[in-house]
Amino acid sequence: MKRIAIDPITRLEGHGKIVIFLNEQGQVDNAFLQIPELRGFEKFVEGLPVEEIPRVVTRICGV
Amino acid sequence: MNFEPRIVGFLCNWCSYTGADLAGTARIKYAPNIRSIRVMCSGRVDPVFVVKAFAEGADGVLIAGCHPGDCHYQEGNYKALRRYLLLKRVLPEYGIEPGRLRLEWIAASEGERFAQVVNEFTEQVRGFGPMNFKDSLLESMKNDVMIHGEPETQATGEQR
Amino acid sequence: MKLKIAIYWGAACGGCDVAILDTHEKILDIAAAADILLWPVAMDFKYADIRRLEDGYLDVAFFSGAIRNSENEEIARLLRRKAKTMIALGSCAHTGGIPGLANMYGRDEILDRVYRSSESTVNPEGIVPEERYMAGTDEELELPRFYNNVRPLDQVVDVDYYIPGCPPASMQIYSAIGLIADDMLPKKGSVIGAGDRALCDECARKKGEKTINRIYRSHEKVPEPETCFLEQGFICLGPATRSGCGSRCIKSVIPCRGCYGPLDDVKDQGIKMLGAIASVLEPKDEKSINAILDTIVDPLRTVHRFSLAASILRRKKA
Amino acid sequence: MMKANGKSEGLIRLEIDGRTVSVPDGSTILDAAKLLGIEIPTLCYSPLIEPYAACRICSVEVEFSGGKRRIVTACNYPVWEGIKVYSDNAKVRRIRRMIVEMLLARCSSVGVLKDLAAKYGIEEVRLEKQEEKCILCGLCVRVCAEVVGKAAISFAGRGLHRRIATPYDRETEDCIACGACALVCPTGVIRVEDTEGRSVAHEELQLGPPKAVTVPFLQAVPNAPYIRVDRCIHFQTGGCGHCAEVCDRDAIDYEMKDEEIEVDAGNIIVATGFELFDPSVMGQYGYGRYRNVLTSLEFEHLNSASGPTGGRIMLANGDAPSVVGIVHCVGSRDQRYHEYCSKVCCMYALKYAHLIKEKTKAEVYNFYIDMRCSGKGYEEFYDRLLAEDVRFVRGKVGEISHVPIGEGEEGKLVIRVEDTLVGIVRRIPVDMVILCPAMKAQPDAKEFSRVFSCSVGRDGFFIEKHPKLAPVSTTTEGIFIAGACQGPKDIPETVAQGAAAAAEVLSLIDRKEIEIEAATAVIDEERCSGCRICNTLCSFGAISFDEQKKVSVINAALCKGCGTCVAACPQGVIKARHFTDRQIVSEIEGILR
């Protein structure tokens, strides 16, 4: 089995990695996309003054 | 082993430090847990010193100044009071019991009171148990390690 | 000789990269002065390409974003090894930035909120990211480890220079690159592409003596257009924040939120600001002081909006 | 002598009792007689007001050029060219004798009438005697109307029932309590008493109404009289104005206003003194209720040769006291009021005891807690007093009351005290009590200290920079303290401190440069952003804002080095010399290692 890794994927916002597994025939057997971009906004905006939310969540993606 | 709290005391030169001196010359015994730092005025105590003390491993911080109205510099102690009250609100956010910080007015003549405050505060802090800031920070980072790739020496971020 | 540079992002939003692009036609000057060997947002190079380089081959690595997971750390270490000069670009790399606010919580609390309890989560099987996943029988996949702590870059690797800001002002990045190209960098550890004084220096608002009797939130009062925000009772971090951004928030009638980080010799931007605010409160008795403090919502995160992870205490104690 | 009032075009010549005199046209016979030094008795006359000629006692006989003779009243009869006046011939004396006899019948015990009776040889009043005090001269009524400009009193009734009264015999708001009526009353029947407080009675010890023109105290600098606006008739009614009339130098100007004067000074000596503790809060001592309970200051006033009695020590009723009690430590050495010792009381109490003995032969008791006579010659003075038979009772006085219980207490003030040397409670009847109240800090010392940037201790007195090494300096350069504003002290000490403060100032002036605190704060102007957070924080006014450079600057000469601004500066650009952030942080790190 052959393994192809595209690490990182580029020209887009965010981190990503693609791992493709080829079978003996060279055909795609399985493919995995990883997006390890978790930063926890869902949690840490809790309890912030509401006027802060728009200014904070814009830091999810600045592209 | 018994837990002996480590307390940093910021004492103003004119009242509290002199009060501490008096406690000494009057041979009044008080808890040896306090380590005193002399500042000219309680108003000199930057809140940064307080968090720094906690970060360096203090279990409690005592700020002591002249009684209101008696400040050698007139109003430095009021500034200390304001900073103290604000710090008290922020410490729990950091997960630090606000009772680990204390502000007291101790006059130069109050050696006995100095001893009493130190004793009381030592017991109060003892009640909270060890603060162990450094250990708890290391503990919180225990699993923050690369799962592949070679570990290298950790930078500290201190040079900034 | 053209400079060889890498531009990378850790736990970032890409805003810093966009700020580089926002130099507009001057980007061509950068391209003329430097060969870019890694820049995920705009060019196609792989980690493997970097790994193949000799150590110290790169002249400069710009690293934006905080260290949130093991991948961030890994690449940070990789670039540190490959680059002669490591530059922390933007608030996240400099002081932890907005992602650093996650230090108010632990890893498990965050994972629980994100993957289980948030109102918009649909995850009946309770799947959470796993660091190792078996693809088929013998192929193992790895996900970067989600750390308990968010760290600014210099808590992970040695950093030579800092370009602060969320995002850094484009022209400041440009001029910082100019310094590198001209070999005019100051002593190691310096903040470049920013001022030496606090934001108040470039803020156009009139500053008078300050005495605060209550704190206002933005919806509670319309700020008077020409007077210092702090004097009007709005918390403005300008006095504790490095200048260089062009006071862009102030110009948009938003008090400074501190993204340019502390000044030289200041160990803790937020706590310093708290000390300053407390100092200029008017009353002298505990009750009235507390009445004012009651009007300060969320003081810790307000003064540490961008710098919690780099503050002295760094995070909420477990 | 009455002034000519501008009518001086012609002089009139006349003869009185054979002596010739020239007086301005419009003068009265009385004026002319005064000029010659001839005494004509008067009762209803006052130079302050228009003559009234009601009492007729000033009657004289006038001989006109034609030889015609007439009895006229001297006080209001204008002079004529060439008249001859007989002020004391047999006829005049007979008339006056009759007048006095009739007045005496009405007011048989009035002093002025008795004196006149003696003068005119009246031994027996042939008319029915009455005991009126008022001779109905009307001076009071007229002074109230003409000088004061009010009409708070007037005549009421007719004939035998004529009397002086307030409107409808009620307390009247028209009365401004100026006391002018009492001042002019020849018989002393009018007394001024304050119905709400005791200020009138005690201030001048019921010896007369308070004066509106007064010298603050004998040693005042400048030693010049001033007008107490709250007491002056002119300022209340617009009337009177006599002081301006009689002042030859035209020094009196009612239009003058208080003004603020700015003085540039490089050094200031604060010598604001003390205030006397008000013993009326200690109800048990009866101060304010009993007229013969005085404070030491009031006694000083009474005892002063320039005081209201000319230094005669007397009770409220004018009698000399036969027993006097002096109570030490009133409000001082007392946890309820002031814990400190007022220091000067023991010695002045001894002085009083000595003077009372000397002047009145009265028996004097001192009630003391401890006799503190430290000072040169002080203990010797105490010994002398012991030899002079002054009584000393060791114990704090419990109560002063006028309720008699035992023998000899009737009509006396009884001092109840525990004699701690004997161990019994004693009751000692006295006529007069002198309280020695605590010297306390000026009530506005605190606000004052803010103005001058010096500190105030818990007792309210200003704090010196160092009790031994800098006893007249304060924490602010150029501000010195002297005297009782720093703490209770007597005159020699005060003088010494004043001289010391003056010497300090002179040495500063002479040196032409000053030494400043080394541990000051300093702002790095290159890095200050001019946020102005620090501007309001300095209690010493050392921080100012340089509008040109747009940075805050510290005046090192004013900075005391407290470091408050250092802790507040959010940019870390203010450095506390010798107490830098780095030093303190290193200390923190060091002690926690």
Side-chain angles (χ1 to χ4, degrees):
Chain A
M1 197 179 281
K2 196 173 175 206
R3 173 179 173 144
I4 299 170
I6 303 171
D7 187 19
I9 54 175
T10 53
R11 287 162 290 176
L12 44 62
E13 196 291 317
H15 296 238
K17 175 180 176 183
I18 295 171
V19 182
I20 303 166
F21 292 102
L22 301 178
N23 60 18
E24 304 304 325
Q25 289 75 41
Q27 287 168 328
V28 175
D29 189 50
N30 215 343
F32 295 85
L33 169 64
Q34 294 181 1
I35 304 176
E37 199 60 286
L38 174 60
R39 292 202 292 277
F41 276 83
E42 296 89 331
K43 186 68 192 171
F44 68 67
V45 295
E46 285 178 4
L48 281 182
V50 70
E51 63 269 25
E52 272 300 317
I53 302 297
R55 305 175 201 156
V56 167
V57 296
T58 42
R59 269 70 179 188
I60 291 173
C61 176
V63 174
Chain B
M1 213 184 85
N2 276 346
F3 160 55
E4 282 301 337
R6 297 204 291 173
I7 293 170
V8 174
F10 293 101
L11 310 182
C12 98
N13 180 59
W14 304 96
C15 294
S16 312
Y17 197 82
T18 318
D21 253 359
L22 183 64
T25 49
R27 302 287 189 271
I28 301 169
K29 199 175 164 189
Y30 58 85
N33 303 59
I34 188 161
R35 291 122 204 254
S36 302
I37 291 178
R38 181 174 71 103
V39 286
M40 290 309 280
C41 176
S42 54
R44 173 69 185 96
V45 180
D46 191 329
V48 170
F49 299 160
V50 176
V51 295
K52 183 70 183 168
F54 283 127
E56 290 295 323
D59 298 299
V61 174
L62 173 70
I63 304 168
C66 310
H67 284 270
D70 285 357
C71 176
H72 185 78
Y73 303 104
Q74 309 207 358
E75 298 200 335
N77 50 359
Y78 293 121
K79 279 130 198 161
L81 174 66
R82 295 178 206 143
R83 294 181 190 133
Y84 161 79
L85 291 173
L86 185 49
L87 257 180
K88 287 275 258 195
R89 288 165 181 250
V90 167
L91 289 181
E93 300 270 307
Y94 271 125
I96 297 171
E97 296 86 349
R100 289 185 188 269
L101 174 64
R102 183 153 167 178
L103 175 73
E104 284 288 347
W105 309 132
I106 298 169
S109 55
E110 296 178 323
E112 205 155 326
R113 191 173 135 70
F114 176 80
Q116 180 202 336
V117 164
V118 169
N119 288 338
E120 242 177 61
F121 187 47
T122 303
E123 287 320 302
Q124 186 180 333
V125 172
R126 198 191 301 279
F128 291 126
M131 179 90 166
N132 280 345
F133 175 83
K134 275 182 175 165
D135 292 348
S136 91
L137 189 65
L138 284 178
E139 174 71 21
S140 80
M141 297 205 295
K142 185 180 61 182
N143 293 317
D144 292 357
V145 291
M146 292 190 292
I147 45 180
H148 45 94
E150 303 135 44
E152 297 181 26
T153 44
Q154 294 261 328
T156 58
E158 285 296 314
Q159 80 268 27
R160 191 176 0 90
Chain C
M1 259 275 282
K2 279 176 101 177
L3 290 169
K4 296 178 193 64
I5 65 173
I7 304 171
Y8 186 72
W9 51 17
C13 69
C16 296
D17 300 83
V18 173
I20 297 173
L21 293 169
D22 277 347
T23 52
H24 302 301
E25 68 281 358
K26 291 208 164 67
I27 190 80
L28 299 174
D29 298 346
I30 299 173
D35 283 330
I36 300 172
L37 273 71
L38 175 73
W39 194 7
V41 77
M43 295 175 163
D44 190 21
F45 300 99
K46 301 302 174 201
Y47 295 150
D49 302 328
I50 303 298
R51 288 198 180 94
R52 275 194 292 273
L53 300 175
E54 282 168 40
D55 285 0
Y57 180 80
L58 294 169
D59 291 301
V60 185
F62 291 92
F63 193 101
S64 66
I67 307 301
R68 167 80 276 189
N69 61 32
S70 59
E71 184 197 41
N72 304 150
E73 181 173 354
E74 194 185 327
I75 306 302
R77 290 186 185 284
L78 177 67
L79 290 175
R80 173 69 274 186
R81 207 164 57 236
K82 301 298 177 193
K84 293 188 192 76
T85 301
M86 185 77 165
I87 296 181
L89 175 67
S91 297
C92 301
H94 179 208
T95 57
I98 293 283
L101 289 175
N103 277 358
M104 293 299 285
Y105 305 94
R107 163 194 155 100
D108 295 341
E109 286 171 282
I110 293 170
L111 290 178
D112 181 71
R113 176 74 184 150
V114 173
Y115 290 99
R116 293 196 185 90
S117 66
S118 98
E119 290 70 11
S120 55
T121 299
V122 179
N123 185 6
E125 294 158 59
I127 297 169
V128 291
E130 287 174 29
E131 287 166 11
R132 287 168 204 281
Y133 179 72
M134 296 309 288
T137 51
D138 52 352
E139 288 293 341
E140 191 184 59
L141 288 176
E142 282 173 343
L143 260 183
R145 170 172 287 182
F146 184 73
Y147 284 172
N148 194 41
N149 286 276
V150 176
R151 281 175 281 170
L153 186 62
D154 63 6
Q155 288 176 20
V156 178
V157 298
D158 195 26
V159 173
D160 297 302
Y161 299 100
Y162 303 86
I163 300 176
C166 184
S170 296
M171 290 321 293
Q172 295 282 22
I173 298 177
Y174 182 76
S175 61
I177 291 173
L179 288 180
I180 300 161
D182 300 343
D183 202 15
M184 305 238 306
L185 283 167
K187 76 174 185 359
K188 186 181 160 171
S190 300
V191 171
I192 56 174
D196 293 331
R197 296 180 177 185
L199 181 66
C200 303
D201 187 46
E202 62 181 35
C203 165
R205 287 178 175 252
K206 277 198 214 80
K207 286 146 213 94
E209 294 186 344
K210 290 167 179 54
T211 312
I212 295 181
N213 271 307
R214 81 155 274 192
I215 298 295
Y216 292 92
R217 288 170 69 179
S218 59
H219 63 278
E220 289 175 320
K221 191 164 94 171
V222 176
E224 195 278 311
E226 297 197 334
T227 309
C228 167
F229 278 116
L230 203 56
E231 268 164 71
Q232 301 183 56
F234 296 99
I235 291 187
C236 174
L237 262 56
T241 304
R242 195 180 284 275
S243 61
C245 60
S247 61
R248 51 199 174 185
C249 293
I250 307 281
K251 285 176 184 160
S252 316
V253 202
I254 304 284
C256 172
R257 298 160 68 244
C259 73
Y260 261 62
L263 287 121
D264 291 346
D265 300 341
V266 174
K267 299 273 178 230
D268 195 317
Q269 181 188 13
I271 300 293
K272 257 292 185 194
M273 190 63 209
L274 286 180
I277 293 171
S279 300
V280 295
L281 299 183
E282 169 122 66
K284 292 173 188 163
D285 63 295
E286 196 164 334
K287 201 175 150 212
S288 320
I289 296 169
N290 272 324
I292 300 181
L293 298 185
D294 284 341
T295 61
I296 307 180
V297 180
D298 194 15
L300 179 61
R301 288 188 292 183
T302 299
V303 295
H304 279 135
R305 188 70 72 216
F306 292 90
S307 62
L308 181 67
S311 72
I312 291 174
L313 293 172
R314 295 190 187 184
R315 64 165 297 117
K316 180 168 179 154
K317 192 169 166 278
Chain D
M1 188 189 128
M2 187 120 173
K3 288 186 103 180
N5 287 340
K7 294 180 183 174
S8 58
E9 335 45 273
L11 286 177
I12 308 280
R13 275 169 61 92
L14 71 156
E15 195 185 298
I16 303 178
D17 296 344
R19 294 160 66 192
T20 304
V21 65
S22 293
V23 290
D25 194 7
S27 302
T28 63
I29 293 173
L30 188 62
D31 298 334
K34 273 191 183 165
L35 207 60
L36 285 173
I38 294 169
E39 196 190 324
I40 297 174
T42 60
L43 283 172
C44 72
Y45 169 81
S46 163
L48 301 180
I49 44 186
E50 287 298 308
Y52 189 54
C55 68
R56 318 306 288 182
I57 197 77
C58 65
S59 291
V60 292
E61 187 169 28
V62 177
E63 184 184 344
F64 299 94
S65 48
K68 192 180 167 196
R69 290 188 166 218
R70 236 183 109 181
I71 297 290
V72 297
T73 43
C75 69
N76 69 339
Y77 199 84
V79 292
W80 289 24
E81 187 67 37
I83 58 169
K84 290 178 178 163
V85 177
Y86 303 97
S87 79
D88 204 33
N89 64 14
K91 191 175 180 186
V92 167
R93 289 181 67 85
R94 186 166 44 82
I95 288 168
R96 287 190 189 153
R97 195 179 302 127
M98 192 62 226
I99 292 168
V100 172
E101 190 174 346
M102 287 193 286
L103 280 171
L104 203 56
R106 172 186 165 83
C107 310
S108 47
S109 56
V110 166
V112 280
L113 294 180
K114 282 187 185 166
D115 293 347
L116 284 170
K119 183 173 177 186
Y120 292 101
I122 300 165
E123 279 159 16
E124 184 61 45
V125 175
R126 293 161 293 170
L127 305 162
E128 189 189 333
K129 279 199 200 172
Q130 287 176 320
E131 281 294 341
E132 292 291 336
K133 295 270 188 222
C134 173
I135 60 168
L136 295 172
C137 66
L139 272 174
C140 53
V141 174
R142 286 175 293 134
V143 85
C144 191
E146 288 179 32
V147 175
V148 181
K150 292 277 178 182
I153 43 175
S154 67
F155 286 112
R158 287 183 182 271
L160 285 176
H161 305 291
R162 194 164 164 87
R163 63 197 165 87
I164 306 289
T166 57
Y168 305 104
D169 287 323
R170 296 203 186 127
E171 211 169 282
T172 173
E173 302 232 322
D174 276 342
C175 175
I176 57 169
C178 64
C181 48
L183 185 75
V184 295
C185 180
T187 73
V189 65
I190 302 179
R191 291 174 61 111
V192 178
E193 281 180 28
D194 194 328
T195 50
E196 278 161 29
R198 28 136 235 108
S199 64
V200 173
H202 272 88
E203 185 150 349
E204 293 285 343
L205 290 150
Q206 64 275 335
L207 296 165
K211 288 193 174 65
V213 181
T214 171
V215 177
F217 53 96
L218 217 53
Q219 295 80 9
V221 179
N223 199 340
Y226 73 108
I227 297 176
R228 293 183 61 163
V229 172
D230 58 328
R231 296 240 168 103
C232 171
I233 294 169
H234 179 77
F235 281 95
Q236 291 180 69
T237 68
C240 191
H242 281 292
C243 54
E245 264 174 47
V246 300
C247 180
D248 289 337
R249 302 290 178 95
D250 288 332
I252 294 171
D253 176 5
Y254 300 118
E255 304 299 313
M256 240 169 150
K257 292 263 180 299
D258 289 350
E259 55 181 323
E260 283 182 11
I261 302 172
E262 271 186 32
V263 179
D264 283 331
N267 297 279
I268 296 168
I269 298 174
V270 178
T272 49
F274 67 100
E275 200 188 56
L276 211 56
F277 172 74
D278 176 6
S280 60
V281 302
M282 300 175 83
Q284 69 271 31
Y285 288 170
Y287 177 74
R289 281 184 289 133
Y290 306 134
R291 299 175 74 182
N292 289 319
V293 177
L294 313 178
T295 65
S296 50
L297 192 64
E298 285 163 351
F299 178 79
E300 193 75 55
H301 192 44
L302 174 70
N303 184 46
S304 165
S306 64
T309 64
R312 205 156 68 80
I313 296 168
M314 57 162 77
L315 299 172
N317 63 7
D319 296 344
S322 55
V323 189
V324 178
I326 303 175
V327 181
H328 296 219
C329 301
V330 174
S332 57
R333 302 190 70 197
D334 187 329
Q335 304 242 335
R336 291 165 300 176
Y337 305 101
H338 301 288
E339 290 180 25
Y340 53 82
C341 167
S342 270
K343 203 170 184 182
V344 302
C345 322
C346 282
M347 289 319 294
Y348 73 60
L350 292 181
K351 179 188 85 174
Y352 291 172
H354 177 74
L355 288 172
I356 293 166
K357 277 255 165 208
E358 192 176 82
K359 286 187 175 180
T360 69
K361 311 278 181 267
E363 194 164 1
V364 183
Y365 284 90
N366 271 281
F367 301 94
Y368 68 98
I369 302 176
D370 294 295
M371 286 307 299
R372 297 189 164 176
C373 307
S374 62
K376 205 164 149 185
Y378 288 7
E379 186 70 16
E380 293 87 329
F381 187 61
Y382 175 48
D383 287 341
R384 183 174 150 195
L385 274 260
L386 288 174
E388 281 176 11
D389 270 351
V390 172
R391 310 282 169 96
F392 288 89
V393 178
R394 184 173 179 276
K396 199 168 167 70
V397 170
E399 184 192 32
I400 295 166
S401 96
H402 71 308
V403 183
I405 296 178
E407 214 174 298
E409 295 185 355
E410 196 67 49
K412 299 263 187 183
L413 291 166
V414 182
I415 295 177
R416 204 158 62 87
V417 59
E418 183 189 1
D419 188 328
T420 57
L421 293 181
V422 185
I424 54 164
V425 174
R426 295 174 67 180
R427 291 176 61 85
I428 298 170
V430 300
D431 298 313
M432 175 188 277
V433 176
I434 302 165
L435 304 177
C436 304
M439 289 171 91
K440 64 174 204 173
Q442 294 282 8
D444 57 353
K446 195 124 225 176
E447 288 111 80
F448 204 79
S449 75
R450 281 191 195 112
V451 176
F452 287 98
S453 296
C454 47
S455 332
V456 165
R458 282 164 90 183
D459 49 16
F461 293 106
F462 294 124
I463 298 177
E464 63 280 4
K465 188 174 182 184
H466 190 282
K468 290 172 190 152
L469 304 177
V472 295
S473 308
T474 66
T475 47
T476 306
E477 292 300 332
I479 308 279
F480 300 92
I481 46 176
C485 66
Q486 181 262 349
K489 60 177 59 65
D490 63 7
I491 294 170
E493 260 188 280
T494 301
V495 171
Q497 260 199 341
E504 290 270 11
V505 166
L506 285 175
S507 76
L508 274 179
I509 293 172
D510 190 48
R511 215 182 303 156
K512 298 200 166 49
E513 52 191 35
I514 52 168
E515 274 176 27
I516 53 172
E517 188 72 58
T520 55
V522 59
I523 294 180
D524 182 350
E525 284 184 26
E526 295 300 309
R527 291 171 55 223
C528 171
S529 72
C531 72
R532 305 191 68 177
I533 292 263
C534 57
N535 286 191
T536 53
L537 301 181
C538 185
S539 300
F540 305 96
I543 305 179
S544 58
F545 187 68
D546 184 333
E547 290 286 353
Q548 228 83 60
K549 295 186 189 163
K550 297 280 177 213
V551 294
S552 297
V553 284
I554 290 178
N555 181 340
L558 295 175
C559 175
K560 300 275 148 227
C562 69
T564 292
C565 58
V566 184
C569 176
Q571 295 143 35
V573 302
I574 310 183
K575 250 191 187 58
R577 289 200 182 105
H578 306 292
F579 287 88
T580 63
D581 281 9
R582 256 183 81 185
Q583 286 173 314
I584 292 174
V585 165
S586 300
E587 281 187 69
I588 295 170
E589 288 168 350
I591 59 178
L592 290 169
R593 189 159 293 150

